[in-house]
Amino acid sequence: MSNNIGSSELIASLSKITMGGDGASNGETSWLHAIAKALGEKVGELAESMVKNADKVGSKNEKEATAASAQLTADSQLFSMYMNALSTVLKSIGEGNVAMARKQ
């Protein structure tokens, strides 16, 4: 599992979601939903990694516990950054849509 969000990977996820390849009943969904789902999946991967490393932190093997603690700290910071980005992106797009709808 990679914790890096590559732009090409994100775009591939978005196109798959918006073209109905990922659970859309009629092949259509909004970009806001597609972006939320794609970024949410990445945040979910980080959360899984955090849980795994949290379990290893209590290990009796000092090297394993130290490495897991460092990885948990890094994953926690990335999780925080991705959640902030997710929130900001969704809020910005939503507010932009509201502003455009008012002008119509």
Side-chain angles (χ1 to χ4, degrees):
M1 172 187 72
S2 171
N3 289 338
N4 297 329
I5 292 185
S7 58
S8 60
E9 182 182 337
L10 184 58
I11 291 169
S13 295
L14 291 174
S15 64
K16 181 179 177 186
I17 293 167
T18 57
M19 292 179 182
D22 198 20
S25 59
N26 62 0
E28 295 179 13
T29 189
S30 71
W31 273 100
L32 191 62
H33 286 113
I35 290 170
K37 185 167 184 163
L39 289 174
E41 287 172 1
K42 291 301 173 186
V43 170
E45 289 176 12
L46 276 172
E48 287 175 18
S49 178
M50 288 170 55
V51 169
K52 277 192 238 178
N53 286 309
D55 291 340
K56 292 179 185 176
V57 168
S59 172
K60 292 182 182 184
N61 180 341
E62 194 173 313
K63 272 188 167 182
E64 182 182 20
T66 303
S69 179
Q71 185 67 38
L72 178 60
T73 301
D75 286 347
S76 297
Q77 290 299 316
L78 285 171
F79 183 85
S80 176
M81 289 187 309
Y82 289 161
M83 285 302 293
N84 287 335
L86 176 66
S87 175
T88 301
V89 165
L90 295 178
K91 183 177 179 185
S92 297
I93 292 171
E95 288 175 355
N97 287 340
V98 167
M100 284 188 351
R102 271 191 219 128
K103 293 180 181 183
Q104 298 264 335

